[in-house]
């Protein structure tokens, strides 16, 4: 549990319903309905807030950071404005 407390990743709390979601994917669909795609699975979400939002999910922070480093350097796709962030998704059982 210590690792969780030390994790600096901000928790993404905003979504549009009162339910607790069981998977990060359904949470993100609820939180960002404009997202053009949601890939992967896991509670770490790399969100690109560029022309069209997109979400990539990872079970741990490491690969999410690696992917962010890549799209920070090379752009995430069409209309990239460089607004990329890593958040954690609050799920049932927290
Ligand atoms: Zn919801
Ligand atoms: Zn981008």
């Amino acid at each position: 549990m210590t690792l969780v407390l030390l994790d600096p990743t901000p928790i993404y709390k905003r979504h549009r319903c009162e339910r607790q979601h069981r998977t990060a994917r359904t949470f993100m669909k609820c939180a960002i309905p404009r997202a053009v795609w949601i890939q992967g699975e896991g509670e770490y979400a790399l969100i690109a807030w560029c022309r069209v939002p997109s979400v990539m999910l990872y079970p741990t922070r490491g690969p999410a950071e690696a992917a962010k480093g890549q799209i920070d350097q090379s752009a995430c796709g069409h209309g990239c404005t460089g607004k990329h962030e890593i958040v954690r998704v609050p799920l049932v059982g927290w």
Side-chain angles (χ1 to χ4, degrees), residues 12-23 25-33 90-92:
Y12 199 92
K13 294 199 185 80
R14 249 191 355 265
H15 62 114
R16 291 165 194 244
C17 73
E18 300 287 313
R19 293 186 307 135
Q20 279 196 301
H21 293 277
R22 289 185 177 281
T23 68
R25 185 182 292 258
T26 55
F27 179 95
M28 278 298 162
K29 269 190 185 149
C30 181
I32 316 176
L91 299 177
V92 168

mmCIF file of all heavy atoms in Angstrom, residues 12-23 25-33 90-92:
data_model
loop_
_atom_site.group_PDB
_atom_site.id
_atom_site.type_symbol
_atom_site.label_atom_id
_atom_site.label_comp_id
_atom_site.label_asym_id
_atom_site.label_seq_id
_atom_site.Cartn_x
_atom_site.Cartn_y
_atom_site.Cartn_z
ATOM 1 N N TYR A 12 -8.193 10.737 -11.495
ATOM 2 C CA TYR A 12 -9.210 11.368 -12.325
ATOM 3 C C TYR A 12 -10.578 11.047 -11.742
ATOM 4 O O TYR A 12 -11.007 9.903 -11.770
ATOM 5 C CB TYR A 12 -9.088 10.828 -13.754
ATOM 6 C CG TYR A 12 -9.756 11.707 -14.784
ATOM 7 C CD1 TYR A 12 -9.027 12.687 -15.437
ATOM 8 C CD2 TYR A 12 -11.092 11.549 -15.095
ATOM 9 C CE1 TYR A 12 -9.633 13.503 -16.368
ATOM 10 C CE2 TYR A 12 -11.707 12.357 -16.028
ATOM 11 C CZ TYR A 12 -10.971 13.335 -16.666
ATOM 12 O OH TYR A 12 -11.569 14.145 -17.594
ATOM 13 N N LYS A 13 -11.244 12.050 -11.197
ATOM 14 C CA LYS A 13 -12.480 11.762 -10.464
ATOM 15 C C LYS A 13 -13.729 12.106 -11.243
ATOM 16 O O LYS A 13 -14.814 11.632 -10.931
ATOM 17 C CB LYS A 13 -12.501 12.550 -9.155
ATOM 18 C CG LYS A 13 -11.429 12.125 -8.174
ATOM 19 C CD LYS A 13 -11.795 12.582 -6.773
ATOM 20 C CE LYS A 13 -10.704 12.283 -5.774
ATOM 21 N NZ LYS A 13 -9.630 13.280 -5.832
ATOM 22 N N ARG A 14 -13.578 12.996 -12.216
ATOM 23 C CA ARG A 14 -14.762 13.509 -12.887
ATOM 24 C C ARG A 14 -15.356 12.503 -13.857
ATOM 25 O O ARG A 14 -14.682 12.066 -14.779
ATOM 26 C CB ARG A 14 -14.368 14.760 -13.682
ATOM 27 C CG ARG A 14 -14.937 16.022 -13.141
ATOM 28 C CD ARG A 14 -14.783 17.223 -14.052
ATOM 29 N NE ARG A 14 -14.018 17.075 -15.264
ATOM 30 C CZ ARG A 14 -12.727 17.373 -15.373
ATOM 31 N NH1 ARG A 14 -12.061 17.815 -14.349
ATOM 32 N NH2 ARG A 14 -12.101 17.224 -16.519
ATOM 33 N N HIS A 15 -16.582 12.110 -13.647
ATOM 34 C CA HIS A 15 -17.302 11.409 -14.693
ATOM 35 C C HIS A 15 -18.772 11.730 -14.540
ATOM 36 O O HIS A 15 -19.157 12.483 -13.647
ATOM 37 C CB HIS A 15 -17.009 9.894 -14.689
ATOM 38 C CG HIS A 15 -17.409 9.188 -13.440
ATOM 39 N ND1 HIS A 15 -18.409 8.254 -13.417
ATOM 40 C CD2 HIS A 15 -16.954 9.293 -12.176
ATOM 41 C CE1 HIS A 15 -18.540 7.804 -12.175
ATOM 42 N NE2 HIS A 15 -17.671 8.417 -11.403
ATOM 43 N N ARG A 16 -19.595 11.208 -15.419
ATOM 44 C CA ARG A 16 -20.932 11.759 -15.567
ATOM 45 C C ARG A 16 -22.034 10.996 -14.865
ATOM 46 O O ARG A 16 -23.196 11.304 -15.041
ATOM 47 C CB ARG A 16 -21.260 11.835 -17.069
ATOM 48 C CG ARG A 16 -20.407 12.876 -17.707
ATOM 49 C CD ARG A 16 -20.395 12.770 -19.206
ATOM 50 N NE ARG A 16 -19.290 13.602 -19.676
ATOM 51 C CZ ARG A 16 -19.447 14.680 -20.434
ATOM 52 N NH1 ARG A 16 -20.627 15.032 -20.852
ATOM 53 N NH2 ARG A 16 -18.404 15.385 -20.795
ATOM 54 N N CYS A 17 -21.696 9.970 -14.102
ATOM 55 C CA CYS A 17 -22.737 9.220 -13.423
ATOM 56 C C CYS A 17 -22.362 9.030 -11.968
ATOM 57 O O CYS A 17 -21.307 9.453 -11.525
ATOM 58 C CB CYS A 17 -22.985 7.879 -14.126
ATOM 59 S SG CYS A 17 -21.668 6.686 -13.860
ATOM 60 N N GLU A 18 -23.239 8.383 -11.224
ATOM 61 C CA GLU A 18 -23.032 8.194 -9.789
ATOM 62 C C GLU A 18 -22.457 6.817 -9.479
ATOM 63 O O GLU A 18 -22.151 6.515 -8.334
ATOM 64 C CB GLU A 18 -24.378 8.328 -9.053
ATOM 65 C CG GLU A 18 -25.044 9.668 -9.222
ATOM 66 C CD GLU A 18 -24.319 10.751 -8.423
ATOM 67 O OE1 GLU A 18 -24.012 10.499 -7.250
ATOM 68 O OE2 GLU A 18 -24.038 11.816 -8.985
ATOM 69 N N ARG A 19 -22.331 5.989 -10.488
ATOM 70 C CA ARG A 19 -21.889 4.626 -10.257
ATOM 71 C C ARG A 19 -20.389 4.569 -10.053
ATOM 72 O O ARG A 19 -19.661 5.473 -10.413
ATOM 73 C CB ARG A 19 -22.243 3.754 -11.466
ATOM 74 C CG ARG A 19 -23.741 3.551 -11.659
ATOM 75 C CD ARG A 19 -23.992 2.559 -12.770
ATOM 76 N NE ARG A 19 -23.295 2.922 -14.000
ATOM 77 C CZ ARG A 19 -22.608 2.073 -14.748
ATOM 78 N NH1 ARG A 19 -22.506 0.821 -14.406
ATOM 79 N NH2 ARG A 19 -22.014 2.478 -15.852
ATOM 80 N N GLN A 20 -19.933 3.459 -9.474
ATOM 81 C CA GLN A 20 -18.512 3.152 -9.476
ATOM 82 C C GLN A 20 -18.281 2.196 -10.624
ATOM 83 O O GLN A 20 -18.982 1.198 -10.762
ATOM 84 C CB GLN A 20 -18.124 2.471 -8.174
ATOM 85 C CG GLN A 20 -17.925 3.440 -7.033
ATOM 86 C CD GLN A 20 -17.174 2.769 -5.900
ATOM 87 O OE1 GLN A 20 -17.627 1.775 -5.362
ATOM 88 N NE2 GLN A 20 -16.029 3.294 -5.554
ATOM 89 N N HIS A 21 -17.308 2.490 -11.443
ATOM 90 C CA HIS A 21 -17.083 1.652 -12.613
ATOM 91 C C HIS A 21 -16.155 0.499 -12.278
ATOM 92 O O HIS A 21 -15.245 0.636 -11.476
ATOM 93 C CB HIS A 21 -16.502 2.498 -13.739
ATOM 94 C CG HIS A 21 -17.468 3.513 -14.250
ATOM 95 N ND1 HIS A 21 -18.423 3.214 -15.174
ATOM 96 C CD2 HIS A 21 -17.650 4.813 -13.927
ATOM 97 C CE1 HIS A 21 -19.145 4.295 -15.419
ATOM 98 N NE2 HIS A 21 -18.708 5.283 -14.668
ATOM 99 N N ARG A 22 -16.384 -0.635 -12.936
ATOM 100 C CA ARG A 22 -15.596 -1.830 -12.654
ATOM 101 C C ARG A 22 -14.338 -1.875 -13.503
ATOM 102 O O ARG A 22 -13.373 -2.536 -13.137
ATOM 103 C CB ARG A 22 -16.416 -3.098 -12.934
ATOM 104 C CG ARG A 22 -17.494 -3.276 -11.918
ATOM 105 C CD ARG A 22 -18.261 -4.576 -12.071
ATOM 106 N NE ARG A 22 -19.223 -4.664 -10.993
ATOM 107 C CZ ARG A 22 -18.893 -5.025 -9.760
ATOM 108 N NH1 ARG A 22 -17.658 -5.387 -9.485
ATOM 109 N NH2 ARG A 22 -19.797 -5.041 -8.806
ATOM 110 N N THR A 23 -14.337 -1.232 -14.631
ATOM 111 C CA THR A 23 -13.136 -1.231 -15.461
ATOM 112 C C THR A 23 -12.794 0.200 -15.851
ATOM 113 O O THR A 23 -13.672 1.075 -15.925
ATOM 114 C CB THR A 23 -13.320 -2.057 -16.754
ATOM 115 O OG1 THR A 23 -14.266 -1.382 -17.591
ATOM 116 C CG2 THR A 23 -13.814 -3.460 -16.466
ATOM 117 N N ARG A 25 -11.904 1.153 -18.641
ATOM 118 C CA ARG A 25 -12.459 1.449 -19.964
ATOM 119 C C ARG A 25 -13.860 2.057 -19.861
ATOM 120 O O ARG A 25 -14.149 3.074 -20.493
ATOM 121 C CB ARG A 25 -12.498 0.161 -20.785
ATOM 122 C CG ARG A 25 -12.940 0.350 -22.210
ATOM 123 C CD ARG A 25 -12.986 -0.985 -22.916
ATOM 124 N NE ARG A 25 -11.647 -1.537 -23.085
ATOM 125 C CZ ARG A 25 -10.972 -1.488 -24.229
ATOM 126 N NH1 ARG A 25 -11.504 -0.941 -25.282
ATOM 127 N NH2 ARG A 25 -9.769 -1.996 -24.321
ATOM 128 N N THR A 26 -14.714 1.448 -19.036
ATOM 129 C CA THR A 26 -16.068 2.000 -18.924
ATOM 130 C C THR A 26 -16.042 3.336 -18.183
ATOM 131 O O THR A 26 -16.823 4.230 -18.482
ATOM 132 C CB THR A 26 -17.026 1.021 -18.204
ATOM 133 O OG1 THR A 26 -16.476 0.682 -16.936
ATOM 134 C CG2 THR A 26 -17.247 -0.224 -19.023
ATOM 135 N N PHE A 27 -15.103 3.476 -17.227
ATOM 136 C CA PHE A 27 -14.966 4.775 -16.559
ATOM 137 C C PHE A 27 -14.622 5.847 -17.580
ATOM 138 O O PHE A 27 -15.215 6.930 -17.604
ATOM 139 C CB PHE A 27 -13.873 4.713 -15.485
ATOM 140 C CG PHE A 27 -13.682 6.030 -14.775
ATOM 141 C CD1 PHE A 27 -14.328 6.288 -13.578
ATOM 142 C CD2 PHE A 27 -12.862 7.011 -15.320
ATOM 143 C CE1 PHE A 27 -14.165 7.517 -12.931
ATOM 144 C CE2 PHE A 27 -12.690 8.233 -14.679
ATOM 145 C CZ PHE A 27 -13.344 8.482 -13.494
ATOM 146 N N MET A 28 -13.650 5.557 -18.420
ATOM 147 C CA MET A 28 -13.193 6.565 -19.380
ATOM 148 C C MET A 28 -14.267 6.884 -20.423
ATOM 149 O O MET A 28 -14.389 8.022 -20.859
ATOM 150 C CB MET A 28 -11.910 6.085 -20.065
ATOM 151 C CG MET A 28 -10.693 6.348 -19.213
ATOM 152 S SD MET A 28 -10.513 8.136 -18.940
ATOM 153 C CE MET A 28 -9.422 8.178 -17.543
ATOM 154 N N LYS A 29 -15.037 5.875 -20.810
ATOM 155 C CA LYS A 29 -16.144 6.130 -21.735
ATOM 156 C C LYS A 29 -17.136 7.090 -21.106
ATOM 157 O O LYS A 29 -17.715 7.937 -21.777
ATOM 158 C CB LYS A 29 -16.845 4.824 -22.097
ATOM 159 C CG LYS A 29 -16.249 4.183 -23.322
ATOM 160 C CD LYS A 29 -17.123 3.036 -23.802
ATOM 161 C CE LYS A 29 -16.431 2.327 -24.956
ATOM 162 N NZ LYS A 29 -16.759 0.915 -25.003
ATOM 163 N N CYS A 30 -17.349 6.930 -19.801
ATOM 164 C CA CYS A 30 -18.278 7.792 -19.081
ATOM 165 C C CYS A 30 -17.677 9.181 -18.902
ATOM 166 O O CYS A 30 -18.350 10.193 -19.064
ATOM 167 C CB CYS A 30 -18.578 7.153 -17.731
ATOM 168 S SG CYS A 30 -19.732 8.070 -16.710
ATOM 169 N N ALA A 31 -16.385 9.233 -18.582
ATOM 170 C CA ALA A 31 -15.737 10.507 -18.255
ATOM 171 C C ALA A 31 -15.454 11.336 -19.502
ATOM 172 O O ALA A 31 -15.552 12.560 -19.474
ATOM 173 C CB ALA A 31 -14.434 10.243 -17.497
ATOM 174 N N ILE A 32 -15.074 10.680 -20.594
ATOM 175 C CA ILE A 32 -14.685 11.398 -21.811
ATOM 176 C C ILE A 32 -15.423 10.799 -23.004
ATOM 177 O O ILE A 32 -14.839 10.076 -23.805
ATOM 178 C CB ILE A 32 -13.153 11.324 -22.049
ATOM 179 C CG1 ILE A 32 -12.397 11.573 -20.747
ATOM 180 C CG2 ILE A 32 -12.728 12.331 -23.124
ATOM 181 C CD1 ILE A 32 -10.887 11.434 -20.879
ATOM 182 N N PRO A 33 -16.722 11.091 -23.118
ATOM 183 C CA PRO A 33 -17.478 10.483 -24.222
ATOM 184 C C PRO A 33 -16.978 10.919 -25.602
ATOM 185 O O PRO A 33 -17.239 10.229 -26.588
ATOM 186 C CB PRO A 33 -18.921 10.947 -23.976
ATOM 187 C CG PRO A 33 -18.865 11.992 -22.930
ATOM 188 C CD PRO A 33 -17.566 11.878 -22.216
ATOM 189 N N PRO A 90 -10.184 5.768 -10.612
ATOM 190 C CA PRO A 90 -10.717 5.149 -9.397
ATOM 191 C C PRO A 90 -11.730 4.073 -9.748
ATOM 192 O O PRO A 90 -12.719 4.343 -10.436
ATOM 193 C CB PRO A 90 -11.391 6.324 -8.676
ATOM 194 C CG PRO A 90 -11.771 7.278 -9.755
ATOM 195 C CD PRO A 90 -10.798 7.079 -10.889
ATOM 196 N N LEU A 91 -11.474 2.857 -9.288
ATOM 197 C CA LEU A 91 -12.354 1.743 -9.634
ATOM 198 C C LEU A 91 -12.999 1.158 -8.394
ATOM 199 O O LEU A 91 -12.599 1.444 -7.271
ATOM 200 C CB LEU A 91 -11.547 0.656 -10.358
ATOM 201 C CG LEU A 91 -10.907 1.102 -11.673
ATOM 202 C CD1 LEU A 91 -10.080 -0.027 -12.239
ATOM 203 C CD2 LEU A 91 -11.953 1.543 -12.668
ATOM 204 N N VAL A 92 -13.976 0.306 -8.616
ATOM 205 C CA VAL A 92 -14.627 -0.412 -7.524
ATOM 206 C C VAL A 92 -13.554 -1.160 -6.722
ATOM 207 O O VAL A 92 -12.652 -1.754 -7.291
ATOM 208 C CB VAL A 92 -15.634 -1.427 -8.094
ATOM 209 C CG1 VAL A 92 -16.108 -2.385 -7.011
ATOM 210 C CG2 VAL A 92 -16.805 -0.704 -8.716
#
